[in-house]
Amino acid sequence: RHLLCAMAGIGGVAASAATARMIAGPRAGLIAALALAVCGAWYGAMFNHTKDIPFAAAMMGATLFLVRIARRLPSPRLADVLAFGLMTGLALGVRSLGLLLLVYLWLAIVLYLPWPGNGTAWLRLAGSSLVRTFPAVALAWLIMILAWPWAFASPLNPIRGLLAFSEFHYAIRTAFAGHVYEMADVPRIYVPGYLAVRLPLITLAGAALAIYFLLFASRGRDVQQFRRDVVLVTLTVAFPLTCQVALHGPAFTGIRHFLFLLPSLAVLAGIGLSELLDALKARSRHLAYAGVALIVPCLVWEATTLVRLHPYENLSYNILVG
């Protein structure tokens, strides 16, 4: 079981690398893979959290194929549609939170479809996109039922499961910022706060840079497509995090139930840091070398920390808290 979980974790790293590579090139893919691999919250968890890591890996795999689908709307390739359905079904078979992927699919349709000039024509394109992606939904539903038979008892049971998860409260205590809370009473900043102190600072900085280049991208590429891709990946982080904060959902054990955000954050970090190196190179090759000289030691430092902590890599925090 531990071995299968670790293999799923490696699959999550590969999916992150493939997504970043598709959006911003091979260097972005390499940085994304390294950023996730040296993140103790991921590396330490992927040998033990046999539910959360496979779910996170499936979510990232689905996101990869969702970007591929979105780029070809309203006529995506059937292979990408079926692959997205497979990954979505695997995610749903583990946690009902995989329903988020269906929300992301609709958001991708809204985000990527060209505006033909009038609302009626756009609605036709949206309808055509939904029809062409329906096989993914059907396949995902079938896989979910095979893994989670209770979902077959009623079409609404997966939604009931999601709502139940958002409201459950046990007598579990958890620590945050020097205080001990019942899980029902944690502050809204609990999950964002743990993300801020658990992720390597180089990953957080890279994700912030991706947002910057999303706003100010101007290089000789398909800027519109680049922006759409980055927005879609950003939404896979921002949407569930915003829902958790706004609805004050249950939270405990740090970011364990939000590990599925880490691969997308690694993708953003890979994109942001790669774009930074390109921007520095456009000004001066020496500046680009300086950028590499900053990024590489940061990643090596994180890897060294994991070696020092072995076999307790999951206890790593960044230097914001020591």
Side-chain angles (χ1 to χ4, degrees), residues 110-301:
V110 173
L111 184 64
Y112 281 77
L113 277 183
W115 188 259
N118 64 78
T120 302
W122 187 90
L123 287 175
R124 283 199 296 267
L125 287 176
S128 175
S129 299
L130 289 172
V131 169
R132 289 177 180 271
T133 55
F134 179 76
V137 179
L139 178 60
W141 219 258
L142 175 62
I143 295 172
M144 176 188 67
I145 289 170
L146 292 174
W148 187 24
W150 181 74
F152 186 66
S154 169
L156 295 178
N157 272 357
I159 298 175
R160 292 190 181 104
L162 181 61
L163 294 176
F165 174 78
S166 67
E167 296 176 356
F168 80 98
H169 296 289
Y170 297 129
I172 295 175
R173 291 186 299 173
T174 185
F176 178 73
H179 300 279
V180 176
Y181 298 91
E182 295 286 335
M183 63 170 289
D185 301 323
V186 296
R188 294 178 188 270
I189 198 68
Y190 179 91
V191 175
Y194 264 106
L195 286 171
V197 299
R198 291 301 312 274
L199 269 67
L201 288 184
I202 189 67
T203 301
L204 295 174
L209 284 168
I211 305 303
Y212 171 83
F213 287 109
L214 159 68
L215 298 173
F216 301 104
S218 60
R219 293 192 312 126
R221 58 142 62 98
D222 188 341
V223 174
Q224 188 176 37
Q225 178 173 285
F226 173 79
R227 285 175 171 162
R228 287 171 173 169
D229 292 343
V230 176
V231 167
L232 184 57
V233 175
T234 302
L235 285 173
T236 65
V237 177
F239 183 78
L241 198 57
T242 301
C243 289
Q244 200 280 333
V245 173
L247 301 177
H248 205 179
F252 62 102
T253 65
I255 59 172
R256 175 182 167 187
H257 294 111
F258 287 85
L259 286 173
F260 67 94
L261 302 181
L262 300 190
S264 291
L265 285 167
V267 171
L268 292 175
I271 294 170
L273 293 173
S274 180
E275 291 296 301
L276 173 65
L277 292 178
D278 282 338
L280 293 175
K281 185 179 179 181
R283 292 178 175 272
S284 165
R285 185 175 296 271
H286 295 295
L287 284 177
Y289 290 149
V292 172
L294 174 65
I295 294 170
V296 172
C298 288
L299 294 172
V300 171
W301 171 261

Side-chain angles (χ1 to χ4, degrees), residues 63-75:
T63 300
L64 166 64
F65 290 105
L66 179 59
V67 175
R68 292 169 64 95
I69 289 171
R71 286 181 164 194
R72 291 177 174 265
L73 288 174
S75 301

